[in-house]
Amino acid sequence: MASTVTAVTDRAAGLVRLVPPALHMTLARTLPRVASRALPALSAPERLLVAPPVIEPGDPARGAELYAGRFALARLLVDADGRSIFEVPPPSADWAAALAGFAWLGDLAAAGTSLAQVHARALVTDWLSRRPPRIGRRPEVAARRLIAWLAWSRFLLEGADTRFVRRFLRAVATESRTLRATAWRASAGLPRLTVAVALAEAALAMAVPPGQLRRRLALLTAELERQILPDGGHISRNPAALIELLLLLLPLREACVARQVEPPAVLLGALDRMLPMLRFFRHGDGAFALFNGMGTTQPALVEAILGFDDAAGRPVLNAPHSGYQRLESRSGLVVIADTGAPLPTAVSAAAHAGALSFELSLGRERVVVNCGASLRGDDAWRSAARSTAAHSTLGLDAVSSCRFLGGRLARLAGPLVLAGPSAIKVTREDGPAATTVRAAHDGYAARFGALHERTLVASGDALDGFDRLVPAPGRTLADEEATLRFHLHPDVAARLGDDSRIVLIRTPGGRSLAFAAEGHPLALDESIHLADPMGPRRSSQIVLRVRSGQASRLAWRFALAEP
C-alpha cells in the first residue's frame, strides 16, 4: 500500500510540473482525493498515546462565561439563554467557525474546576449528537476541531465515565478518517496546511500503522515545502499566518518527540526559519506590522512562541522571499516596508493593496502605521482595509494598486486578487551611516501608465523618503491626482504647523518628531485604526496631494525633534 500511495504522489508531482497552470487547481483537488481513497480506514483507538502541548493558554474568565452559556467568539457575544449553544443562530460565519473549531475548550480547562470539566464533556457530547453544520464540515474548521480535541483530551477524559471515553475516542477516529477523505477540498495555503497538521497529530495520537504515519508526515512535509519560504515567511505574506502556524507546528514537533518519532527534517528547518521572522515583524512594543491581513497582536502569545527560539537572536533585516525590508537606526527608529512581489492568486484572499507601504516606530512607540485588517466580520470593513488608501504609501485617483474579486464570485471563491503589481524591483544598501532601500512597482501601469518608485533612507535620527511617478515603458503618464498618505497610530498626537509645511508629532512617552515634505503643503485628515484590540479607533493621517505630473520627485522626512 505504501508503494501505491508513493507512486500516486510522485506521479502527481510530475504531472503538475508538466501541465498548464490552468489545470493545476484541478490536479491539486483530484489527485489527493484519489490518494486518500487508497489509505486504509482508522479504527477507534483504545486510548490516545499523546496529547500535543498547548502554547496558547486559556482564559479562566472566559471559561466562567462559557459555563454560564455566554460564548464570546470572533468579537461577538452570544448568550445561549438556556438553549444548546449549537441551536443558536450564529451571528456571523466567523463566529460559527470558531464555535465549531472548539478552541474555546482551553478556556473551560483554564477555569480549573470540576464543574467546567463536566460542562466541557456535556458540550462535546451535545455536538456529537448532532449533524455538524455546513461550516463545521469545512476541512480547515474540522481540522481545528480535531486539533483542539487532541490538545485538550486529558482535560476531557480525566475522570470521565467509560461511555464518554469510548464515544470521544470513536469521534476522534471518525473525524480523522473524514478529514483525510475531504482534505482535497481545503483551500490552498493556511487551510490546507492546517489540515495536514491535524492529520499528522491524529496519527501520532493513535496507534496507526507505521506506514500510515509516514504518509501523513509526508503530506505535512509537502505542504511545508510549498508554503514556507526560504526566509521563513509564509506564502500568503500575512504576518499573522506565522503566528497561527507556529501555534500548530511547535506542538506537533513536541508530539513527535513524545512519541519518539523523528520529526521531519523539513518541519525542523521550517521552524528554524519561521521563528526569526517573528522578530522581523515586531515593533518595539511587541506588536506586529500591519500588512496583508495582520490585525491585533497578542504580545504575550508571541513571547510564549519565542520561548521556543533557542537562538534568540536579532531579527533578520532583509526578507526578499517574503517581500519585506526592515531598516533600523541608532536612535531607535525602526521601519518595516512591504516590497513584495505578487502573490499566487489561490492564497491572496487576505492580501492588501499596500505595495511599497511602510510602518515606523520609535523605541517602544509606533508612529506611522497602516490601518490593519478589520476585526469586524462585514465585507465593507474588510474591503476598506485592503485598499491602497488604508496604507502609508502613494495612490492614484483613489484607486487601489490591486483589483479584487467581488460580488457573487467572491462569495464562492473568496475575495482573491485579480490584478495588481506584476513585478517589484528592490535594491538594498547597508552602509555604516545609513541603510537605503529602493523599490518600484507597476500596479498602476495598466490603468494610468505609471510606475511608482520609492526610496527609504534610515540614518541617525531621521527617515528620509523619496517618491516618484514615472511613465511605464511605451506609455504616457495620465493626469490624475496622486495622494501620499502617512497614517498615524492613534496613540500619537499630531498638529499642523502654521504654514501647513510641517506636522509636529508627539508620542505618549514624550518624544517628538517633525514631518516635512519639500515644497508641498500638507493636510492632516481623519483616519481609522482597525487593528486595535478594543475595536476601530479614530486616528489621523498626514496627506500630500499633487497632480501625477508633479510627482516626479516627492521628498519628505521624519526627524527627531526637541520636545
Side-chain angles (χ1 to χ4, degrees), residues 178-195:
T178 303
L179 184 60
R180 182 195 58 214
T182 60
W184 61 276
R185 296 177 183 168
S187 301
L190 186 59
R192 196 170 293 172
L193 190 46
T194 303
V195 169

Side-chain angles (χ1 to χ4, degrees), residues 182-229:
T182 60
W184 61 276
R185 296 177 183 168
S187 301
L190 186 59
R192 196 170 293 172
L193 190 46
T194 303
V195 169
V197 170
L199 290 173
E201 282 194 355
L204 289 166
M206 297 183 287
V208 302
Q212 190 170 154
L213 175 58
R214 285 195 299 271
R215 286 189 289 271
R216 293 199 179 191
L217 291 176
L219 173 65
L220 172 74
T221 295
E223 286 301 324
L224 288 172
E225 288 176 331
R226 291 187 191 98
Q227 297 192 37
I228 306 303
L229 301 171

Side-chain angles (χ1 to χ4, degrees), residues 98-118:
L99 178 67
F102 275 78
W104 43 264
L105 282 174
D107 296 326
L108 285 170
T113 67
S114 57
L115 287 177
Q117 192 175 32
V118 170

Side-chain angles (χ1 to χ4, degrees), residues 373-399:
S374 173
L375 300 177
R376 296 188 177 186
D378 56 278
D379 293 338
W381 277 106
R382 287 177 174 169
S383 178
R386 301 176 76 189
S387 68
T388 297
H391 296 77
S392 295
T393 189
L394 184 145
L396 268 177
D397 193 34
V399 173

Side-chain angles (χ1 to χ4, degrees), residues 12 20 24 31 64 168-169 205 242 290 304 383 386 389 446 455 511 555:
H24 284 187
L31 291 170
F168 178 76
L169 294 178
L242 284 178
L290 301 174
S383 178
R386 301 176 76 189
T455 300
R511 303 186 75 177

Side-chain angles (χ1 to χ4, degrees), residues 290 358-360 366-371 392 487-489 529:
L290 301 174
F358 76 95
E359 294 199 345
L360 167 68
R366 284 181 288 168
V367 180
V368 178
V369 295
N370 297 311
C371 293
S392 295
H487 295 272
L488 300 177
H489 191 272
H529 189 65

Side-chain angles (χ1 to χ4, degrees), residues 78-90:
V78 170
D79 192 334
D81 195 24
R83 295 173 293 172
S84 165
I85 191 62
F86 303 116
E87 293 178 349
V88 177

